[in-house]
Amino acid sequence: MFRYAKGRTVGSRIRGPGRASRMTTWYRLIVGGDLAGQPISTLKARAVLIDTETGVLNSLLSGSLGEIFDSRQLISDQYGAGNNWAQGHMEYGPKYEADILESIRRTAEHCDSLQSFFLLHSLGGGTGSGLGTYVLSLLADHYPDVYRFTNSVFPSEDDDVVTSPYNSALALHQLSEHADCVLPTDNRALAEICRRVQEGAAGGKRGSAAQDTSAVSEEGAVTAGGVAGKARSFDEMNNVAANMLTHLTSSMRFEGSLNVDLNEVTMNMVPFPRLKYLISSVSPLSNFHARGSDGSSFSVDAMFSSAFHKDTQLMRVEPKNSTYLACALLARGDVPISDLHRNVERLKKSVRMVHWNPDGFKIGLCNTPPIHQSKALLCLANSCCIAQTFSTFRDRFQKLYKRKAMVHHYEKFMGGNKEAKEQLDMAAENMNVLIEEYERLDNLGPPGMQACPRMTPAI
């Protein structure tokens, strides 16, 4: 984030006490004294990085931001998890449990006010799905009172990991058991967002986007420029997800007239323990999209309407005709509170809320906008349309499981055929329950008025 903002690097210095205090949300100072004026390299991220092979972590440490991470907080193995949830969860989890807990404890003890844990992982492979959910279960056991958010990358239907249907189903079961709130993202949706940003900038090149040559902004927003090639594509896809997380956590770093605490998100958005999967969308998507066709600033009404469009979502689902259980609208920047309330009332007419929560909109307003933008909006929707994704998971899972294809790879780490069957059956049942519950609520109408019996006069 630092090096993309006005060319700053880890050798740059932190300017001003206000900026210094905001940075301590995600980073801690490793030298004594005031944070203002210190080199950015004196900060260390409040993060534990875990992988079952060394390539990615070595690349990270040798990169331009390597000094930001504490080498004691990196945990890795040599050989990888072989795209196998069972190996990541059953072998590497117990193997590195003590190291993981010690690293988490060390990080937590440096926090003045520990508010939540964020787990960033994918479900398709073996490490993110298996070891990632093992870490989640450790957090549930050892820090039961601290909220656990996950940003989980759901695999696409055309991904190249043959065993991803098993990995996704097994990981989804763990998420349902141990996470407080899940923010899923879809690689296909991220790629589509990046493609639209690039096409829009290439076709118009208006406003500040034409002059923007960096791959990301300070807040992680996707921009039109940057280095060419495949690396840029993956960087920009990651930046879309990072942008969503910086919006979500902006109230922890900046003042606001209606700031929303993270625990309020869970409290207002999760009506039932297992129905905690929130579809996120960000508007505007980029600096280019922050202006209209005539170069004028993006209007508040257009920003709200865009946030409810499927093209701005980080998941490829269609919420328009599905029931919303709850919805959070977290604005940043120059957005009058009156416009917030007015747009909520306007959108109520086009959004189908579940009948027992017709006013289930949570609004928030942070005064500080993302860099290079005057305002922005994050929409979090607990919508029944997520059942479409789970149905796809189940279909892909059943195609393999009914033939018991690849199951022997899981038996090796699960203790045998019986144990593997039990785990896979529970994962399948979890998907069934999620789909049935979301579909039941989607089809649930308001309770009918019971006719009162006619009174028969006594004669």
Side-chain angles (χ1 to χ4, degrees), residues 119-130:
L119 175 68
L120 313 180
H121 69 135
S122 65
L123 302 191
T127 302
S129 65

Side-chain angles (χ1 to χ4, degrees), residues 8-270:
R8 276 179 281 162
T9 66
V10 291
S12 302
R13 294 187 178 273
I14 304 165
R15 300 192 296 270
R19 177 171 293 176
S21 63
R22 294 194 295 267
M23 295 174 78
T24 59
T25 302
W26 294 108
Y27 303 90
R28 64 181 177 86
L29 186 65
I30 60 174
V31 297
D34 188 6
L35 184 58
Q38 296 284 358
I40 290 176
S41 58
T42 60
L43 294 174
K44 295 298 179 185
R46 303 184 188 274
V48 179
L49 280 65
I50 306 171
D51 203 349
T52 55
E53 53 187 347
T54 58
V56 174
L57 296 183
N58 287 341
S59 176
L60 183 66
L61 289 178
S62 61
S64 57
L65 294 180
E67 293 182 52
I68 294 295
F69 298 98
D70 188 341
S71 60
R72 297 178 302 169
Q73 302 298 88
L74 274 61
I75 299 170
S76 67
D77 199 89
Q78 297 290 328
Y79 306 109
N83 292 325
N84 188 331
W85 177 92
Q87 186 172 4
H89 199 88
M90 303 294 191
E91 179 181 357
Y92 286 116
K95 180 178 180 180
Y96 289 102
E97 177 176 336
D99 293 337
I100 292 170
L101 285 174
E102 176 60 20
S103 295
I104 294 172
R105 181 199 62 79
R106 188 186 300 121
T107 303
E109 287 185 352
H110 284 299
C111 297
D112 295 325
S113 177
L114 179 60
Q115 187 169 103
S116 65
F117 290 106
F118 274 88
L119 175 68
L120 313 180
H121 69 135
S122 65
L123 302 191
T127 302
S129 65
L131 184 54
T133 54
Y134 189 88
V135 173
L136 185 65
S137 67
L138 292 179
L139 294 175
D141 290 340
H142 293 267
Y143 300 88
D145 298 326
V146 183
Y147 283 101
R148 299 173 296 281
F149 288 76
T150 77
N151 181 207
S152 307
V153 180
F154 283 15
S156 304
E157 293 182 57
D158 58 351
D159 70 348
D160 56 359
V161 179
V162 177
T163 55
S164 70
Y166 289 152
N167 298 334
S168 303
L170 290 161
L172 193 65
H173 183 214
Q174 296 294 316
L175 292 177
S176 296
E177 293 294 329
H178 301 301
D180 290 308
C181 192
V182 180
L183 303 167
T185 57
D186 183 339
N187 277 331
R188 293 180 304 166
L190 299 180
E192 282 293 308
I193 288 173
C194 293
R195 181 186 60 79
R196 284 193 295 272
V197 170
Q198 294 298 325
E199 289 179 353
K205 290 205 170 186
R206 58 181 181 266
S208 61
Q211 305 298 324
D212 199 339
T213 58
S214 63
V216 292
S217 73
E218 183 179 26
E219 287 290 342
V222 181
T223 59
V227 295
K230 189 174 181 180
R232 184 187 67 177
S233 298
F234 284 120
D235 282 346
E236 292 183 347
M237 288 168 65
N238 287 333
N239 294 332
V240 174
N243 191 27
M244 180 269 291
L245 293 175
T246 57
H247 276 276
L248 178 62
T249 59
S250 61
S251 63
M252 300 170 62
R253 293 173 285 123
F254 306 106
E255 294 182 354
S257 51
L258 278 177
N259 264 349
V260 174
D261 210 337
L262 285 178
N263 60 3
E264 293 182 66
V265 173
T266 302
M267 182 66 66
N268 289 273
M269 297 296 296
V270 183

